[in-house]
Structures are given as structure tokens and as C-alpha cells.
């Protein structure tokens, strides 16, 4: 009987010491902040484009290991966005959310502003992050020739502005959660989301969990794409399909004069891919290629490699 009692006492003591040591060994500098994400204030009229942009920004925030994203896009403040000047310095917006998000410990308020004064001027993107407790407001602004360059460039600026609002002295502390060294061989929305590369005429491929994405070609052209999965668990296929209208720049290997006659008849470019054990996506691309007879449909083998989450 005494042996059993003594054993229970030892076990209870061991468990207590384990949790006590764990609690005291935590890095106090790595506390978790609740980041309230309010989306984008903009004069962009394309709702689909805006949704894709907001989803991408949210995905990049989720990659910061010391913040927990709380999506506030459907919060009551959304109805007041129209009252915010698109050239605001951030104060107008934060005054709107003041009552909805009063000063709290470890809360960051975050939104982006995308603004283009006129159709012939550059795009301007600013990210704002405010520490609700200290009142510190951090922002980063940059001008772009192309809207899509905002999306491909956003990751660094989001990490930087959030780090400053959180009081991180080293912006590199805002680096995303490290990816697992074990490469997944099964396709799912989580492991396909991120930035990919692989084709010589494409500089960047961004796939999002929302089922959308975009491709930036080396010649500067951009393509909106849909992203979907099909098949059974363990044998799923990834299907990526062009959503924009025909563009001769999507066929950089074909002389423009030869490809333009296909503007009305060309099927959307389509990729059908499988994930390999090494984490690469491999498969075929249904497109048009130059041939001895002019131009013809063809399935081209492609390999995509992930470069960032």
C-alpha cells in the first residue's frame, strides 16, 4: 500500500516539476500578439482582385510566428471604410476602430491602403500596424508600376511593419514559421499555398488557400488563375487554370504575329500537377507551342519548386 502511495507522490511531483520548468523556460520575448486584420482600404473597383489581395495579405500575416491573426474584415467597421480617405496617414482609420478595439495588452491593429490617384500614375501601397496598448503606429509605403508587384513584394513589408509595432528591434525576428524539413507527398490546400517557380518564362507563381492565385511572367505579364484539387486522398491532382482573357504575352516563345490569330480560339492555359516525395509539383501544361506548321496545342512537361510559404 505504502509503495503505491509513494509512487503516486513521485509521479505527481515529477509532473509538477515538468510544467514548472516549462513555464519558467519560455522566452518572454516571444509572447503572442493578437493581430486584428481589417483588410484593405482602396480605390480598386475590382472586387475579385481585392478579395485575392486581402486573402494573400492574411496568409502572409499567418506566417509570422509571434502573432495570431483575428480576421476582422466582416467587423462592423467595414461599413465605414467609405468614409476613410484613400490617401490617409492611418489616423482616420484607427479612429474608426478605436471603440471597437480599445487599448488592450498584446493587440495589434493592422490594415493596408492601396491607392492610385489616376490611371496613368503609379500604384501606392502602405501597410499600417498599431499597438493598441502603447499607441505606437508603424507604416511602410512604396510605389509600384504594376498592381501585381504589390502582391509579390508585400511579404517583407508586412513582416517589417508588424515587427516594429510589436517592439521587435530586429526585423528579422518577424520571419515566417520555419517549414518542416519533411516534404509532404500528399496534396492539400495547406502545402500548396505559397510562392513557386520552375518555368523559364515565369518569374513567380503564387497559389493561395482560397482557390485563387496569380502568375507573373518574366516579360512582366500577369495572369489570374484558379486553383483546385481533385481525386482521392493520397492520389490528389492539382489543377491550375488561366482566368484572364487571351494575352499574347502568355506565349513568350511564339512570335506575336503568329499567336495573335488565336486570340478568339485559344483555350485557357491549364496545368495538371502532382506532388512528388521531394515536395515539387510535376505534371503537364496544356498550352500552345510553335511548330513547323505554325502553332498547335501541346502538353508540355513542367516542374514547380516551392520557394516560400
Amino acid at each position: 500500500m505504502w509503495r503505491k502511495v509513494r509512487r503516486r507522490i513521485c509521479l505527481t511531483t515529477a509532473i509538477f516539476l515538468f510544467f514548472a520548468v516549462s513555464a519558467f523556460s519560455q522566452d518572454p520575448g516571444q509572447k503572442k500578439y493578437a493581430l486584428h486584420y481589417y483588410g484593405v482600404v482602396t480605390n480598386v473597383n475590382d472586387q475579385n482582385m481585392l478579395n485575392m489581395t486581402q486573402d494573400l495579405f492574411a496568409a502572409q500575416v499567418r506566417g509570422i510566428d509571434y502573432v495570431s491573426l483575428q480576421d476582422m474584415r466582416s467587423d462592423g467597421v467595414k461599413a465605414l471604410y467609405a468614409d476613410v480617405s484613400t490617401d490617409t496617414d492611418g489616423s482616420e482609420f484607427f479612429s474608426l476602430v478605436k471603440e471597437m478595439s480599445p487599448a488592450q495588452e498584446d493587440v495589434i491593429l493592422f490594415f493596408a491602403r492601396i491607392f492610385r490617384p489616376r490611371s496613368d500614375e503609379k500604384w501606392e501601397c502602405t501597410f499600417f500596424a498599431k499597438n493598441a496598448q502603447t499607441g505606437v503606429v508603424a507604416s511602410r509605403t512604396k510605389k509600384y508600376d504594376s498592381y501585381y508587384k504589390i502582391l509579390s513584394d508585400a511579404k517583407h513589408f508586412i513582416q517589417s511593419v508588424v515587427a516594429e509595432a510589436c517592439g521587435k528591434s530586429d526585423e528579422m525576428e518577424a520571419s515566417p514559421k520555419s517549414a518542416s524539413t519533411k516534404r509532404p507527398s500528399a496534396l492539400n490546400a495547406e502545402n500548396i499555398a505559397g510562392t513557386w517557380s520552375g518555368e523559364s518564362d515565369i518569374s513567380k507563381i503564387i497559389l493561395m488557400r482560397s482557390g485563387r492565385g496569380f502568375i507573373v511572367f518574366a516579360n512582366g505579364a500577369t495572369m489570374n488563375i484558379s486553383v483546385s484539387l481533385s481525386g482521392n486522398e493520397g492520389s490528389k491532382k492539382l489543377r491550375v487554370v488561366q482566368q484572364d482573357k487571351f494575352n499574347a504575352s502568355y506565349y513568350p516563345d511564339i512570335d506575336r504575329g503568329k499567336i495573335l490569330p488565336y486570340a478568339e480560339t485559344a483555350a485557357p492555359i491549364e496545368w495538371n500537377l502532382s506532388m512528388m516525395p521531394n515536395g515539387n509539383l510535376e505534371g503537364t501544361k496544356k498550352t500552345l507551342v510553335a511548330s513547323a506548321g505554325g502553332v498547335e496545342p501541346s502538353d508540355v512537361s513542367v516542374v514547380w519548386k516551392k520557394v516560400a510559404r
Side-chain angles (χ1 to χ4, degrees):
M1 178 69 180
W2 170 242
R3 268 187 209 164
K4 289 183 179 179
V5 172
R6 187 168 55 185
R7 201 174 296 144
R8 287 176 183 170
I9 292 173
C10 291
L11 180 60
T12 303
T13 303
I15 293 172
F16 171 78
L17 289 173
F18 172 79
F19 284 108
V21 171
S22 297
F24 283 107
S25 63
Q26 286 179 350
D27 181 359
Q30 286 301 311
K31 65 181 179 181
K32 204 84 166 177
Y33 289 83
L35 187 143
H36 293 192
Y37 174 56
Y38 287 94
V40 178
V41 173
T42 183
N43 62 350
V44 173
N45 295 320
D46 187 330
Q47 190 60 45
N48 289 332
M49 180 68 70
L50 179 58
N51 290 341
M52 183 184 75
T53 302
Q54 295 189 123
D55 288 347
L56 177 64
F57 291 170
Q60 290 166 338
V61 168
R62 288 191 187 95
I64 302 175
D65 58 11
Y66 55 82
V67 301
S68 174
L69 184 139
Q70 295 185 22
D71 197 332
M72 310 294 282
R73 281 178 284 174
S74 60
D75 190 78
V77 74
K78 184 177 181 181
L80 304 175
Y81 281 13
D83 298 330
V84 179
S85 303
T86 48
D87 59 350
T88 180
D89 61 0
S91 57
E92 285 183 79
F93 184 86
F94 289 126
S95 67
L96 288 178
V97 302
K98 184 177 180 181
E99 293 182 2
M100 299 179 186
S101 298
Q104 302 174 51
E105 186 177 357
D106 304 339
V107 168
I108 302 296
L109 311 179
F110 178 84
F111 81 101
R113 182 200 69 200
I114 297 177
F115 179 60
R116 192 181 196 185
R118 291 192 298 270
S119 60
D120 60 342
E121 294 188 19
K122 291 186 176 182
W123 290 97
E124 182 178 288
C125 178
T126 305
F127 294 102
F128 297 93
K130 180 177 181 178
N131 189 310
Q133 182 183 24
T134 66
V136 171
V137 176
S139 65
R140 298 287 185 277
T141 300
K142 187 174 179 180
K143 292 187 176 182
Y144 297 88
D145 294 324
S146 163
Y147 183 90
Y148 284 94
K149 288 184 180 179
I150 295 174
L151 307 186
S152 60
D153 206 26
K155 184 177 180 180
H156 167 74
F157 289 103
I158 290 174
Q159 291 175 356
S160 176
V161 76
V162 171
E164 183 178 338
C166 293
K168 300 286 185 181
S169 57
D170 182 358
E171 291 182 0
M172 292 307 292
E173 289 183 38
S175 59
K177 302 170 185 175
S178 3
S180 169
T181 53
K182 184 181 178 183
R183 295 286 188 175
S185 57
L187 277 171
N188 56 55
E190 183 66 28
N191 61 38
I192 65 169
T195 304
W196 300 76
S197 68
E199 298 181 45
S200 60
D201 56 357
I202 290 177
S203 62
K204 188 171 295 187
I205 304 152
I206 295 183
L207 307 179
M208 296 187 291
R209 296 176 184 84
S210 61
R212 295 189 296 273
F214 64 94
I215 291 174
V216 180
F217 288 80
N219 59 18
T222 55
M223 175 196 290
N224 283 296
I225 53 176
S226 64
V227 182
S228 60
L229 296 171
S230 63
N232 300 320
E233 194 65 38
S235 61
K236 285 189 175 180
K237 298 283 186 181
L238 174 66
R239 184 169 179 256
V240 176
V241 183
Q242 168 191 339
Q243 295 299 296
D244 289 323
K245 294 180 180 179
F246 174 91
N247 187 334
S249 297
Y250 297 163
Y251 308 90
D253 293 335
I254 305 177
D255 180 84
R256 189 175 181 83
K258 291 182 178 179
I259 193 64
L260 283 176
Y262 293 83
E264 299 297 327
T265 58
I269 298 173
E270 178 180 326
W271 292 261
N272 290 282
L273 309 166
S274 298
M275 183 164 279
M276 299 294 106
N278 62 2
N280 291 343
L281 291 170
E282 296 186 15
T284 58
K285 173 184 181 179
K286 293 183 178 181
T287 185
L288 296 176
V289 299
S291 66
V295 175
E296 64 181 18
S298 180
D299 287 351
V300 180
S301 297
V302 296
V303 177
W304 289 0
K305 296 181 179 180
K306 199 168 196 178
V307 296
R309 291 186 63 176

